[in-house]
Amino acid sequence: MKRAVMFLAVVLIGFGVYAVGYFSTYSIPKSEEAAEEFLIEFDAKKSGMGVSAVVGWMQLGESDSWLARVLFEDGVYGYAHFVKGWNGKMKFMSLGTTQPLTYREFQTNDGFYGVVFGRNDNLTIDHINVKTLGRTTYEFVIHVADQENFMVSEKLPDGVQDTFPAEFEVVDKDGNVLEAG
């Protein structure tokens, strides 16, 4: 009997330590405002670049991963990656800057997603043909005709991963190629 009580005590202590660690890791409320507050505070402490605003927010399909499109104080755009835990709160994963047109791949609990980040100033772009160039190639089209600042995701088929980098063919509303490469 004494062994059973001791075993139960060890299990309960272990679960308590795990729960405290989990809840402190997954502590950001799942909202755009909470993510923005976290990023402004985090970035000021860590890199000094200065996140000035979250300008977009997106869940990757039905997965537990969320992306925030961020604007830094110096006018450069980027993204922040968050993962939602079983407690309904989020954990910060990464923060990065993006070029005017950028492709990134994210692994989620629902498979891999390819995401294109970019700007469509003056709404001149209708769509972008994307061809990945990594270990696995994959082609898809994103439509951005009505979006000035965009992040568009594509669920990659099973077995398609390690697709970074990508090349783009940017097409206007009349079908003219504006940029390729």
Side-chain angles (χ1 to χ4, degrees):
M1 180 70 167
K2 193 173 186 177
R3 281 185 151 172
V5 170
M6 189 66 137
F7 176 75
L8 183 60
V10 169
V11 168
L12 288 174
I13 290 170
F15 179 74
V17 169
Y18 170 78
V20 167
Y22 186 90
F23 282 98
S24 66
T25 302
Y26 288 87
S27 61
I28 306 164
K30 191 181 81 59
S31 73
E32 188 172 335
E33 295 80 20
E36 185 170 8
E37 274 181 40
F38 170 83
L39 289 169
I40 289 169
E41 182 178 311
F42 170 83
D43 203 45
K45 289 180 185 173
K46 302 292 182 197
S47 72
M49 285 181 65
V51 172
S52 64
V54 171
V55 296
W57 188 245
M58 170 180 71
Q59 181 179 10
L60 294 177
E62 298 296 319
S63 77
D64 61 358
S65 286
W66 291 78
L67 294 175
R69 182 85 162 126
V70 298
L71 175 63
F72 293 101
E73 289 173 351
D74 62 0
V76 173
Y77 285 90
Y79 66 90
H81 179 205
F82 296 89
V83 173
K84 187 177 109 180
W86 54 263
N87 65 348
K89 295 192 176 185
M90 297 188 308
K91 171 174 105 170
F92 171 72
M93 300 299 289
S94 63
L95 177 69
T97 60
T98 57
Q99 299 295 321
L101 195 54
T102 301
Y103 173 79
R104 293 284 184 267
E105 179 183 290
F106 294 91
Q107 182 177 4
T108 73
N109 67 327
D110 187 36
F112 288 85
Y113 284 81
V115 180
V116 178
F117 302 91
R119 300 245 338 126
N120 186 4
D121 297 323
N122 304 321
L123 300 176
T124 56
I125 302 170
D126 180 65
H127 66 276
I128 301 170
N129 300 318
V130 181
K131 180 179 181 184
T132 67
L133 303 172
R135 187 182 69 158
T136 308
T137 59
Y138 181 69
E139 295 182 35
F140 60 98
V141 177
I142 60 168
H143 297 276
V144 296
D146 58 347
Q147 301 175 55
E148 280 188 42
N149 194 349
F150 59 86
M151 60 180 170
V152 179
S153 70
E154 171 82 7
K155 171 96 166 67
L156 301 176
D158 291 340
V160 175
Q161 62 190 51
D162 298 325
T163 57
F164 180 81
E167 63 182 21
F168 307 102
E169 184 178 71
V170 180
V171 181
D172 71 9
K173 293 175 174 107
D174 297 323
N176 301 314
V177 175
L178 301 172
E179 181 182 332

